[in-house]
Amino acid sequence: FLHRAAERWRHKRGPWSAGPARGTMSPPLFSLPEARLRFTNSTRDALTNKTIKPLLNAFNQIPGSENEKKCTLDQSFRVVLEEEIINQASCENVLAIISLAINAVTDGICTASTPFVLLGDVLDCLPLDQCDKIFTFVEKNVTTWKSNTFYSAGKNYLLRMCNDLLRRLSKSQNTVFCGRIQLFLARLFPLSEKSGLNLQSQFNLENVTVFNTNEQESTLGQKHIEERDEGMEVEEGEMGDDEAPTSCSIPIDYNLYRKFWSLQDYFRNPVQCYEKISWKTFLKYSEEVLAVFKSYKLDDTQASRKKLEELKTGGEHVYFAKFLTSEKLMDLQLSDSNFRRHILLQYLILFQYLKGQVKFKSSNYILTDEQSLWIEDTTKLVYQLLSENPPDGERFSKMVEHILNTEENWNTWKNEGCPSFVKESEELTRLWNLCPDNMEACKSETREYMPTLEEFFEEAIEQADPENMVENEYKAVNNSNYGWRALRLLARRSPHFFQPTNQQFKSLPEYLENMVIKLAKELPPPSEEIKTGEDEDEEDNDALLKENNESPDVQQDKPVTGRQIESFANKLGEQWKTLAPYLEMKDADIRQIESDSEDVKMRAKQLLVAWQDQEGIHATPENLITAMNKAGLSDLAESLSNDTENSS
């Protein structure tokens, strides 16, 4: 039965339907061992030749899906990197492999997380001194990590890598390296990144300041007894002249030492101040310490001399990650202005937390009226001590106050849940995409909002006319806003603005009044309302009679207009300097015109405007033509004469 059924099925499908079609071959299958071997060899070639071409060729030639080839190439990168690390290759070779992986991601032949996996492998295997060099590479490529191709795939890898490094480093011995890692993370992640925010306002309780708590082991009491009974014998050169008087100026005993360093526990964990007993202790210790700061002030001369010595020797201030709590250093520390600033600044930060509104602060943490009053008075005292602390105490105090006020904005931002700083706006997005080329859109004539001189000064010109009898207090030039806009417009559109003058103006309105009078001579008269009927005909007839009665000589005696100057300047061009001496222009004026503009037409226009200002009503076309003939510009003078006759 089965045999007959198979025969019927074969008869229906045809003789070759059970297998592949005759004459065709199945596509080659992906082989993981072969692909890995070829990718590994290609990676070594790419590393040797410092080019990604061998990898691109291998990726295109090896059969299989794109995902299979990408995963295989990822493994090959790790195999080659492992060989380099085992062979103790230089950091340059290791970084070259990572650079190849970055280029491979850009070309789309390996997964985006591969460079970060390789970086993690390297930093886990190398000692700290070589990790420093590798991390320099990571810092330099922060722009690459922030790009769309790498950021989503690599941000968690980078964060884990940096945290692993921080756990290996010592905060006291590798302070700079730790700081570089923190700065890198700050540059990598946006401000609103939740992983970089202390949302619940937790304190670093591990930062414990260790000091001598056993009074019997203290040497401070014995030291002062010896100083009082026998006196200290200091050999010459053992202590500087500046340090000798200050080291013994503050009486220090074990009680002051203990109370001073006990305050660090309150700065470490401010929540203690809300407890009644702890607050009393903090209040007592603070009053004694601040009383010492207030009673024994530092000498400004000593601090300035010390600062000058540091500048001469090229020394810089050195800040330690932890306080040194040795009893022997106590007198020197209290005599150091920078040390005092650290302590006083800790007070201000503590007070800001106690008074501030923090979202995750417990509802039981409330200050009494007495506590609030003490904090307010003590804050004023701390700012006073900061301003009295040399050098530049006043400036330092104001800067600290400004920074702490700014910090309130960050506290408010955190209380609101750290919203993103990026503001989405559909309307702004629509406007931004109106034109494909935004720079060309900005150059469009439709975006020309600057008024012309005629439009802007029309009202001021009318008010300057004595016949209109406008009082000074109502004139537009007396408006400060109008004056500011007028100066901007004159600087862009009028050559008078940059023209040197001997006139002295006591006020801006006086200067603008003078400019308005000049513009009134150049600009065409303001447009009048259109009249109809007999009035219009009569005025036209009168004008025609007046024009016909005037002789050409009378018309040529009129001063040049702004349009004539514009036309003359275009024709004058490069020959303006030849004409300048015949218009009685001084060498200083000519140099000023040359320095104001590089455009020859603008220089010619400035020359004619300066001549017009200088001659006043005598700046007529006839006088200009005479000057041109004297300068040997007869062709230009003839052209100018023809233009004048045609216009008249």
Side-chain angles (χ1 to χ4, degrees):
F1 172 78
L2 291 174
H3 179 71
R4 286 197 301 271
E7 287 292 330
R8 285 197 300 270
W9 177 80
R10 195 178 297 116
H11 178 73
K12 287 182 180 180
R13 294 289 300 271
W16 301 104
S17 59
R22 179 180 294 178
T24 63
M25 297 179 61
S26 60
L29 300 176
F30 174 78
S31 173
L32 178 61
E34 292 179 6
R36 184 189 299 163
L37 178 61
R38 185 161 180 188
F39 272 135
T40 303
N41 293 332
S42 298
T43 304
R44 294 192 185 100
D45 293 342
L47 182 61
T48 304
N49 300 322
K50 297 181 179 180
T51 177
I52 200 174
K53 287 183 179 180
L55 288 173
L56 291 172
N57 295 334
F59 191 87
N60 293 328
Q61 294 171 5
I62 293 176
S65 67
E66 186 172 329
N67 190 39
E68 290 173 334
K69 291 189 283 186
K70 282 186 176 181
C71 293
T72 308
L73 181 56
D74 296 344
Q75 295 179 13
S76 300
F77 273 123
R78 298 189 73 179
V79 169
V80 176
L81 181 66
E82 181 185 1
E83 292 175 358
E84 294 292 327
I85 293 174
I86 292 174
N87 295 331
Q88 296 182 351
S90 63
C91 290
E92 285 74 15
N93 282 0
V94 172
L95 294 176
I97 297 174
I98 298 172
S99 298
L100 281 175
I102 294 173
N103 294 332
V105 173
T106 306
D107 291 332
I109 61 175
C110 77
T111 56
S113 60
T114 303
F116 307 103
V117 174
L118 298 178
L119 280 171
D121 293 343
V122 170
L123 292 173
D124 287 341
C125 298
L126 295 181
L128 287 177
D129 58 339
Q130 295 186 20
C131 287
D132 194 336
K133 298 178 182 178
I134 301 297
F135 192 75
T136 302
F137 173 83
V138 176
E139 288 176 307
K140 290 180 179 179
N141 285 277
V142 65
T143 307
T144 304
W145 313 139
K146 292 175 72 172
S147 63
N148 295 332
T149 307
F150 293 93
Y151 184 74
S152 299
K155 64 177 184 178
N156 292 331
Y157 283 99
L158 289 172
L159 182 61
R160 191 181 308 116
M161 178 186 74
C162 290
N163 287 332
D164 290 342
L165 263 179
L166 287 172
R167 277 190 286 269
R168 291 173 61 188
L169 295 169
S170 168
K171 292 183 179 179
S172 56
Q173 296 181 2
N174 307 108
T175 310
V176 176
F177 198 175
C178 292
R180 286 171 56 196
I181 295 173
Q182 298 289 359
L183 287 173
F184 167 75
L185 291 174
R187 292 172 60 197
L188 177 67
F189 292 104
L191 283 173
S192 54
E193 175 66 31
K194 302 297 182 184
S195 61
L197 298 171
N198 183 11
L199 291 174
Q200 297 184 359
S201 301
Q202 296 176 343
F203 299 101
N204 181 19
L205 301 180
E206 297 178 0
N207 183 25
V208 179
T209 302
V210 180
F211 60 96
N212 180 22
T213 56
N214 189 348
E215 186 176 2
Q216 295 179 353
E217 297 178 0
S218 174
T219 59
L220 285 172
Q222 300 173 5
K223 177 181 176 183
H224 282 286
I225 292 173
E226 292 174 0
E227 290 177 8
R228 192 165 52 247
D229 295 344
E230 302 175 5
M232 289 187 63
E233 295 182 2
V234 181
E235 294 184 6
E236 186 178 356
E238 183 177 339
M239 185 177 293
D241 296 337
D242 295 335
E243 298 170 352
T246 57
S247 60
C248 303
S249 59
I250 302 175
I252 300 172
D253 56 8
Y254 178 76
N255 284 330
L256 177 61
Y257 168 82
R258 177 178 59 85
K259 293 174 182 177
F260 181 87
W261 289 116
S262 296
L263 288 172
Q264 291 298 319
D265 195 53
Y266 294 92
F267 298 144
R268 176 182 67 95
N269 186 16
V271 175
Q272 299 177 81
C273 294
Y274 291 106
E275 300 172 4
K276 189 173 182 180
I277 298 176
S278 298
W279 171 259
K280 288 183 178 180
T281 306
F282 171 74
L283 188 69
K284 180 182 177 183
Y285 291 0
S286 295
E287 287 179 345
E288 291 189 26
V289 170
L290 293 175
V292 171
F293 282 8
K294 187 176 181 180
S295 302
Y296 299 93
K297 297 178 181 178
L298 300 182
D299 184 12
D300 193 10
T301 307
Q302 173 191 341
S304 302
R305 194 181 305 166
K306 183 178 179 182
K307 187 175 181 181
L308 285 173
E309 289 177 358
E310 288 177 353
L311 291 173
K312 289 179 181 177
T313 56
E316 297 179 355
H317 293 291
V318 179
Y319 297 97
F320 296 94
K322 294 286 291 180
F323 285 123
L324 303 176
T325 58
S326 171
E327 295 177 351
K328 299 178 181 179
L329 298 173
M330 189 70 186
D331 54 351
L332 295 174
Q333 287 172 327
L334 294 180
S335 302
D336 182 32
S337 61
N338 283 330
F339 182 81
R340 287 199 181 194
R341 282 177 174 173
H342 291 170
I343 304 301
L344 294 173
L345 189 55
Q346 284 181 306
Y347 269 109
L348 293 176
I349 295 172
L350 171 65
F351 293 160
Q352 187 179 48
Y353 172 78
L354 295 177
K355 293 186 300 180
Q357 299 295 327
V358 181
K359 184 178 181 180
F360 292 95
K361 190 187 291 187
S362 174
S363 58
N364 299 326
Y365 296 158
I366 300 175
L367 295 173
T368 63
D369 294 340
E370 184 180 356
Q371 288 174 323
S372 300
L373 184 61
W374 184 86
I375 289 175
E376 185 178 350
D377 294 338
T378 309
T379 301
K380 294 178 181 177
L381 174 61
V382 170
Y383 276 120
Q384 180 186 346
L385 292 173
L386 277 175
S387 61
E388 294 173 353
N389 190 51
D392 300 327
E394 191 75 28
R395 183 165 169 263
F396 182 83
S397 175
K398 290 180 180 179
M399 185 60 66
V400 167
E401 186 175 7
H402 171 73
I403 292 172
L404 292 178
N405 289 335
T406 306
E407 194 69 18
E408 289 293 342
N409 298 328
W410 293 105
N411 292 338
T412 304
W413 177 66
K414 288 178 69 175
N415 290 338
E416 294 173 355
C418 305
S420 174
F421 289 97
V422 179
K423 303 296 182 184
E424 297 291 341
S425 172
E426 294 182 1
E427 182 63 19
L428 287 177
T429 304
R430 184 187 69 81
L431 291 173
W432 187 255
N433 295 318
L434 282 177
C435 180
D437 190 343
N438 292 305
M439 294 306 295
E440 287 299 323
C442 292
K443 297 177 183 178
S444 173
E445 294 181 359
T446 58
R447 294 184 57 83
E448 180 63 46
Y449 304 118
M450 189 185 302
T452 62
L453 291 172
E454 292 90 337
E455 294 171 349
F456 187 82
F457 286 101
E458 183 175 358
E459 180 185 2
I461 290 173
E462 290 179 359
Q463 293 175 350
D465 190 351
E467 294 182 0
N468 294 327
M469 294 186 294
V470 179
E471 297 180 9
N472 284 333
E473 59 180 323
Y474 298 111
K475 289 184 177 180
V477 293
N478 291 315
N479 186 328
S480 58
N481 184 28
Y482 181 88
W484 178 76
R485 294 170 60 200
L487 288 177
R488 287 175 59 88
L489 184 62
L490 288 169
R492 295 292 299 273
R493 294 197 181 276
S494 175
H496 289 293
F497 185 79
F498 296 102
Q499 188 62 38
T501 179
N502 294 327
Q503 290 181 272
Q504 294 183 355
F505 302 100
K506 296 181 180 179
S507 63
L508 178 60
E510 184 181 350
Y511 170 75
L512 289 177
E513 190 81 33
N514 179 267
M515 295 298 293
V516 166
I517 294 172
K518 290 182 180 180
L519 291 172
K521 297 177 182 178
E522 299 179 5
L523 301 178
S527 58
E528 298 179 357
E529 295 182 1
I530 299 175
K531 299 179 181 180
T532 58
E534 297 178 358
D535 293 341
E536 182 181 4
D537 295 337
E538 289 178 3
E539 288 188 4
D540 290 343
N541 292 333
D542 292 342
L544 285 171
L545 288 171
K546 189 175 180 181
E547 287 182 9
N548 292 331
N549 291 333
E550 286 183 353
S551 63
D553 295 336
V554 174
Q555 292 176 7
Q556 283 199 354
D557 287 341
K558 291 181 179 180
V560 291
T561 63
R563 290 182 179 177
Q564 286 177 324
I565 287 180
E566 189 77 31
S567 175
F568 298 165
N570 290 336
K571 293 182 178 181
L572 185 59
E574 297 178 352
Q575 296 174 313
W576 71 272
K577 204 169 182 180
T578 306
L579 178 63
Y582 295 93
L583 295 179
E584 298 182 359
M585 286 290 140
K586 299 178 181 178
D587 292 340
D589 296 334
I590 296 174
R591 288 194 296 270
Q592 182 67 35
I593 292 173
E594 287 180 322
S595 62
D596 286 344
S597 175
E598 294 183 358
D599 185 10
V600 291
K601 291 183 179 180
M602 179 56 70
R603 289 178 178 179
K605 185 176 180 180
Q606 286 185 334
L607 171 68
L608 296 177
V609 169
W611 169 73
Q612 184 187 33
D613 292 342
Q614 180 178 291
E615 297 296 325
I617 60 173
H618 299 293
T620 61
E622 184 180 0
N623 291 337
L624 183 58
I625 292 170
T626 303
M628 286 183 176
N629 285 322
K630 291 180 180 179
L633 305 173
S634 55
D635 294 341
L636 193 59
E638 185 177 353
S639 174
L640 178 58
S641 178
N642 294 334
D643 291 345
T644 306
E645 290 176 3
N646 293 334
S647 63
S648 63

